[in-house]
């Protein structure tokens, strides 16, 4: 049974930074693509960033390009999301997810999900 646990969320002022972590257990994620998604209150869950199994290929939502960086450490079975220049509109619950095969921007394409971590950006 795969478990994904996010951490690193919190309250930050606009312009600040946070680093989210996602620790996997139960199975090695080294052959899985990983993704970060977010969901604001009353809105659907949307794509933020994704990274392939090797870490060589990444993709980002237009809204976070140049501000967020996804990375992974397969030795630690973990994936990270460095978030800089945060804006109030980045406020959401952030989820990490994993899937076999290539990366995807669709939430439905992912097999395993964490419980989420709250990120709140104040203006």
């Amino acid at each position: 049974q795969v478990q994904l646990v996010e951490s690193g969320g919190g309250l930050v002022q606009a312009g600040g930074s946070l680093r989210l972590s996602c620790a996997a257990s139960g199975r090695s994620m080294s052959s899985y693509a990983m993704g970060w998604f977010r969901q604001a209150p009353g809105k659907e869950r949307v794509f933020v960033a994704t990274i392939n199994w090797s870490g060589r290929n990444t993709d980002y939502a237009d809204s976070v390009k140049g501000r967020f960086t996804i990375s992974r450490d397969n030795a630690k079975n973990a994936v990270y999301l460095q978030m800089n220049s945060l804006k109030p509109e980045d406020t959401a619950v952030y989820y990490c997810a994993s899937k076999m095969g290539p990366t995807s921007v669709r939430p439905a394409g992912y097999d395993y999900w964490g419980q989420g971590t709250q990120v709140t950006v104040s203006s």
Side-chain angles (χ1 to χ4, degrees):
Q1 182 71 13
V2 174
Q3 287 192 325
L4 302 176
V5 179
E6 302 94 337
S7 61
L11 173 63
V12 64
Q13 289 189 332
S17 298
L18 283 174
R19 187 188 191 220
L20 304 184
S21 299
C22 174
S25 62
R27 185 180 300 176
S28 171
M29 292 289 105
S30 61
S31 59
Y32 284 68
M34 303 294 293
W36 285 97
F37 294 80
R38 66 187 181 187
Q39 187 167 18
K43 296 189 177 181
E44 64 181 15
R45 192 171 299 187
V46 297
F47 167 72
V48 175
T50 185
I51 189 167
N52 78 326
W53 68 273
S54 69
R56 292 193 187 97
N57 295 324
T58 59
D59 193 13
Y60 298 90
D62 287 343
S63 59
V64 307
K65 278 181 182 176
R67 300 188 298 122
F68 291 11
T69 303
I70 188 171
S71 61
R72 66 189 299 160
D73 186 336
N74 286 338
K76 295 182 177 179
N77 221 20
V79 65
Y80 308 98
L81 186 68
Q82 177 67 43
M83 305 187 296
N84 299 329
S85 302
L86 282 161
K87 304 176 181 180
E89 51 263 43
D90 294 319
T91 295
V93 177
Y94 283 71
Y95 299 89
C96 76
S98 65
K99 67 179 295 293
M100 289 293 289
T103 59
S104 174
V105 301
R106 298 184 307 110
Y110 287 76
D111 302 308
Y112 302 104
W113 290 84
Q115 83 291 347
T117 185
Q118 176 70 47
V119 171
T120 302
V121 184
S122 63
S123 57

